[in-house]
Amino acid sequence: MYLKSIELSGFKSFGKKTELVFQSRISSIVGPNGSGKSNVAEAFRFVLGEQSMKSMRSKKGEDLIWGGSPGLARANRAGVKVTFDNSTRLLDIDFKEVVVERIVYRDGQNEYLLNGTVVRLKDVIRLLAGANIGGSGYQIISQGEADRILNASPKERREMVEDALGLKLYQHKKAESERKLLESGVNIDKTKSLRREIAPHLSFLRTQVEKIEKAREMKEELAVKLNDYLARENAWITQEDSRLKDEAHVHESESKKLSVRLAELRTVAGAGKHGTSKSSELHEKLQGKEARLVEVRREGEDLQRELGRAEGALEANTVTVEQIVAVPHVRQFARELDSTISDIEHSDDIATVRAALAHIRNRIKSFVEGLSGAAPVTSHEAKQQVEELTVALAKKKHEQEVLTGEIDVMRKEIARIREASFAAERDVIEHEATLREAQGKLNNANAARAGLKSLRERFEEEVREGVALAGAALTGWERGEIPQGALSEDRSEQEKRRKQVERLKIKIEESGLGNGDAVVKEFSQTKERDEFLARELIDLETSASKLKDIIAELEKTIDEKFKDGLKHINEALKGFFVKLFGGGEAKLTIEQPRRKALRASYGAGPADDDFEDEVEFDEEEELYAGLSISVSLPRKKVKGLEILSGGERALTSIALIFSMSQVNPPPFLVLDETDAALDEANSKRYADMIMELGSKSQLIVITHNRATMAAAGELYGVTMSQDGVSKLLSVKLEEAERVAK
C-alpha cells in the first residue's frame, strides 16, 4: 500500500484544483516562504479527519476555504482528496484503490466520502487506523512542531507513542468498548429505574388481581345462589301469572254477564224515566192547576168582599167610589198582582224580587190614585152589581171544586209513577253494586298481574345484572328444573334468598373491579414487562461484564504491545541518537501509574499539588502511566531536556520521531520543515536518516534544505502568483535549490 496522490480544491491558498502525484518513496515539496507549502501538510491533516482547527492554523471551518482574490472568486467549499493503492489490502476494504475525500462548506458542515460514497467520520478514522494512518500525532509533523513530543506532557507523549506503535486501533476498540460499557451502565440504570418505577404499580396490580380472584370466588358463589333464586322466582312468577290469568278470566266473564243484565235493567229504568217524564208533565200541570186553584180562591174571596160591600151599599142606599169601581178592572188588577207574586215566589234572585216588589208598590199607588176621581153610582147600579157579583162568586166556587178534584187525581197518578220508577232504580243500583264488586275483583286481578309484570321486569333486570356479574355461569336457571318447594314455600324464604344475592352483588360491586379482565391483562403485561426488564438487566450486566473483560484484555494487549514497542523504540532511538550526536543516550521511561482525576466532576479550579489528596476516587477509576524522556549528551555532565539547545532539541525530536517510525512504520509520513533548525553537518545526517526511513515508509518532505532535497526522488515546487493562488511546479534539483533560496 502507498499514497498515490492528493488533490486540493479550494483549500486555503489552493484556490484552483491542484493535484500532487507521488511516484517515489521520498517526495520533496519546496518553495519560498508564504507560497503555501505548509498548506499541503495541513491538507493531509484535514482529509485524514483532524478536528482541531488550531492544528490547521484556523479558527473555524470557513477559514479553510479559498477566500477569493481580484483574479479568482472565492469558493463555496474546500475539498481534499487522497488516493491510496490498496493492492495489499492493508486498508480493510475490498478495493484495489481507495479514495478518501473530505469537503467543508461555508456553514461549517463537513462531508466525508469513501470511493464516492458518503460515510461517517468514525468510519474513515476506523478504516485508516487499521493501517496505522491518522490525521494527528507523529505521522504528520507540521511546521514548528518537531519538538512537540518533547514539550508534550507525559500522558500526551504516551498517546503519541501508542499511536506510532499502531495501538490506535486497539485504543479505538477500547474507547468503543468503554462507550458501550458506559451506555450499558446508563441502560442498566434506566432498566433498574424502570423496574423501580413499575414495582409499586406491579405490587398494586398484584393486590388488585388477588382481589379480583376473591371477587371471582364471590361471583362463583353468586352464580350458584342466583341460579337457585332465579329458578325459584321464575317458577313462582310463571305459576302466579297463570293463576291470576284464570282468576281474571272468571271475573271478566262475570262482569260481562252483569253488564248485560244491568243494560236490561237500565232499559227498564229508562222506561221508568219516561214515566218520570210523564210525572213531571203531570206535576207541571198539577202546579198549574194548584196555581189556578189559588187564583180562583183569591178571586172568590175578592168577589166575596166586593159582594159584601155592594150589599152594604145597597142597604145604605149610599154608593162610594169603591163601590162604583168596575169589577173587571179590580179583577185585572188582582191578577197582575198575583202573577207578579207567583213569579217572585219561585225566584232566588234578590234583585229580581226587589224589582217585582217595587213594581207591585207602583201598581197599587196608581190603582188607588185612579179611584180618587170615580163618580158615585146609583142604587140601581148597585143592585145590578150585587147580582152580577153573586153569579160570578157561584162560578168561582164551582171552578174551585172542579180544580180540587183534578188536583187529587193528578197527585195520585204522580205517586204511582214515582213508585214504579223507584223500584227500577233500586234494581239498577243493586246490579251496579254487584258489577262494581265484580269489576273490582277483576281490577284487583289485573293489578296483581301488573304487579307480577313489575316482578317479571325486576326478575329480568336481576338476570341482566347477574349476567353482567357472573357471566356465562348464570345459565342453570334456564334449564326449566323447578327446585323443591319453589311453588309451595312462603315468599319470605325467597325474599331471604334475594337479600343474600343482593349482599353478594354489593360486595362484588364495592370491589370496583368489574370483571377484572382489564386489570388482569394489565397485570400480566406489567409482569411480562418487569420480567423482560429483569432479563434485559441480566443481559446488560452480562454484556457489561464481558465489555469489562474485553477492556481489560485490550488494556493488557495495549500494555504488552506498548512495553514491547517501547523497548524497540528505545533501541532505535539509541542508534539514531548516536548518529546525530556522536554518542550520548536518550531514553523513554514509563512513569509510576497515577489515577485520573476528573476535576470537572468536582468543580475543581486550577490544578495544584494537593488536589489529588483532597479528592476521593472510585476504585474503578482508570489509572494511567505517562512517559518521561531522559537525555544524556556526550561531553555534558548535566542530564535532562532543560540542558538542550534549540538545535539539540530539534535533533532529539527527529531522533525520537524516526525511532517511533522505525518500530511500526506507517504507510507514509509528512514532515514539514522539521530540518529547519539544523546546520549543514546535521542536515546531512538528517538526509541519511530520511533515506533510511524511506525504505520503510513513504515520505513527503517539505523543506528548504539542499541535503534533504537531494535525498528525494521527486520534487514539487510551490509558488504563489500575484493573485494569491498557490501553484504547483515540477522542478529539477538545481531549480529547487534556486527556489529554496
Side-chain angles (χ1 to χ4, degrees), residues 328-390:
H329 182 67
V330 174
R331 289 176 179 172
Q332 180 63 32
F333 176 69
R335 281 195 296 271
E336 289 180 5
L337 292 179
D338 185 66
S339 176
T340 302
I341 292 170
S342 297
D343 290 338
I344 64 176
E345 283 180 348
H346 301 285
S347 178
D348 296 328
D349 188 3
I350 297 175
T352 303
V353 173
R354 289 178 177 175
L357 292 174
H359 176 71
I360 292 171
R361 188 182 295 110
N362 291 332
R363 285 290 293 131
I364 293 172
K365 184 179 180 181
S366 297
F367 182 79
V368 172
E369 290 177 351
L371 294 178
S372 62
V377 296
T378 65
S379 175
H380 177 75
E381 291 174 346
K383 185 177 180 180
Q384 188 178 352
Q385 186 179 7
V386 168
E387 291 176 357
E388 290 176 358
L389 290 171
T390 303

Side-chain angles (χ1 to χ4, degrees), residues 69 432 579 600 615 661:
S69 68
E432 284 178 344
K579 287 182 181 179
V615 179
S661 301

Side-chain angles (χ1 to χ4, degrees), residues 2-8 18-29 40 44 81-85 97 698-700 713-717 728-731:
Y2 65 90
L3 177 65
K4 293 180 69 175
S5 66
I6 182 170
E7 181 184 293
L8 296 83
T18 303
E19 184 179 16
L20 287 78
V21 180
F22 305 107
Q23 298 176 341
S24 175
R25 297 293 298 177
I26 302 175
S27 300
S28 182
I29 299 174
V40 177
F44 276 106
K81 184 189 298 182
V82 292
T83 303
F84 296 98
D85 184 299
E97 187 176 270
Q698 187 178 1
L699 301 179
I700 293 91
E714 59 184 356
L715 297 178
Y716 286 99
L728 186 66
L729 301 172
S730 180
V731 297

Side-chain angles (χ1 to χ4, degrees), residues 125-384:
I125 293 175
R126 187 175 296 171
L127 178 67
L128 297 177
N132 196 25
I133 301 173
S136 59
Y138 81 100
Q139 188 174 350
I140 302 174
I141 307 299
S142 299
Q143 186 177 358
E145 288 189 336
D147 63 345
R148 181 161 61 93
I149 192 170
L150 300 181
N151 296 328
S153 67
K155 180 177 179 293
E156 293 172 339
R157 191 177 295 121
R158 174 165 180 154
E159 291 174 350
M160 294 172 67
V161 171
E162 289 177 345
D163 193 13
L165 293 174
L167 301 179
K168 196 170 189 177
L169 183 61
Y170 295 100
Q171 294 287 10
H172 278 300
K173 289 181 178 179
K174 180 187 174 185
E176 184 69 13
S177 297
E178 288 175 340
R179 183 187 64 78
K180 290 181 179 179
L181 180 61
L182 180 62
E183 290 178 355
S184 296
V186 172
N187 290 332
I188 287 172
D189 292 339
K190 287 183 178 179
T191 304
K192 289 181 178 179
S193 178
L194 287 173
R195 290 197 73 193
R196 286 193 298 269
E197 287 178 4
I198 67 175
H201 188 55
L202 182 62
S203 177
F204 170 76
L205 290 175
R206 185 177 286 106
T207 303
Q208 292 299 99
V209 169
E210 291 174 356
K211 291 180 179 180
I212 289 169
E213 292 299 325
K214 187 176 181 180
R216 285 177 175 174
E217 292 176 0
M218 288 191 293
K219 287 180 181 180
E220 292 175 359
E221 182 183 357
L222 175 65
V224 174
K225 291 186 178 223
L226 195 54
N227 274 320
D228 181 60
Y229 168 78
L230 292 177
R232 291 175 180 274
E233 191 73 1
N234 185 55
W236 183 85
I237 290 174
T238 302
Q239 176 189 255
E240 191 69 9
D241 184 63
S242 179
R243 183 185 68 79
L244 291 173
K245 187 176 180 180
D246 292 342
E247 184 178 333
H249 179 72
V250 171
H251 294 312
E252 187 178 7
S253 180
E254 184 181 355
S255 295
K256 287 181 179 179
K257 291 179 181 179
L258 289 170
S259 295
V260 172
R261 177 58 181 159
L262 183 61
E264 294 174 354
L265 291 173
R266 282 176 175 170
T267 301
V268 175
K273 286 183 179 180
H274 180 70
T276 302
S277 178
K278 185 179 180 181
S279 175
S280 298
E281 292 176 1
L282 288 173
H283 186 69
E284 290 179 1
K285 290 180 179 179
L286 176 63
Q287 288 180 339
K289 295 288 184 181
E290 290 176 341
R292 181 59 185 162
L293 180 60
V294 171
E295 185 179 354
V296 171
R297 286 175 178 174
R298 186 171 57 253
E299 289 176 353
E301 291 173 355
D302 291 341
L303 289 173
Q304 187 69 42
R305 284 193 295 271
E306 289 179 9
L307 180 61
R309 285 193 298 270
E311 289 176 348
L314 182 63
E315 291 176 0
N317 198 18
T318 304
V319 181
T320 63
V321 175
E322 287 82 2
Q323 290 173 334
I324 63 174
V325 176
V327 174
H329 182 67
V330 174
R331 289 176 179 172
Q332 180 63 32
F333 176 69
R335 281 195 296 271
E336 289 180 5
L337 292 179
D338 185 66
S339 176
T340 302
I341 292 170
S342 297
D343 290 338
I344 64 176
E345 283 180 348
H346 301 285
S347 178
D348 296 328
D349 188 3
I350 297 175
T352 303
V353 173
R354 289 178 177 175
L357 292 174
H359 176 71
I360 292 171
R361 188 182 295 110
N362 291 332
R363 285 290 293 131
I364 293 172
K365 184 179 180 181
S366 297
F367 182 79
V368 172
E369 290 177 351
L371 294 178
S372 62
V377 296
T378 65
S379 175
H380 177 75
E381 291 174 346
K383 185 177 180 180
Q384 188 178 352

Side-chain angles (χ1 to χ4, degrees), residues 556-571:
K556 182 180 178 182
T557 301
I558 291 171
D559 187 64
E560 290 176 352
K561 288 184 176 293
F562 175 77
K563 290 179 179 179
D564 184 66
L566 185 62
K567 178 181 177 183
H568 289 87
I569 287 173
N570 280 326
E571 291 175 356

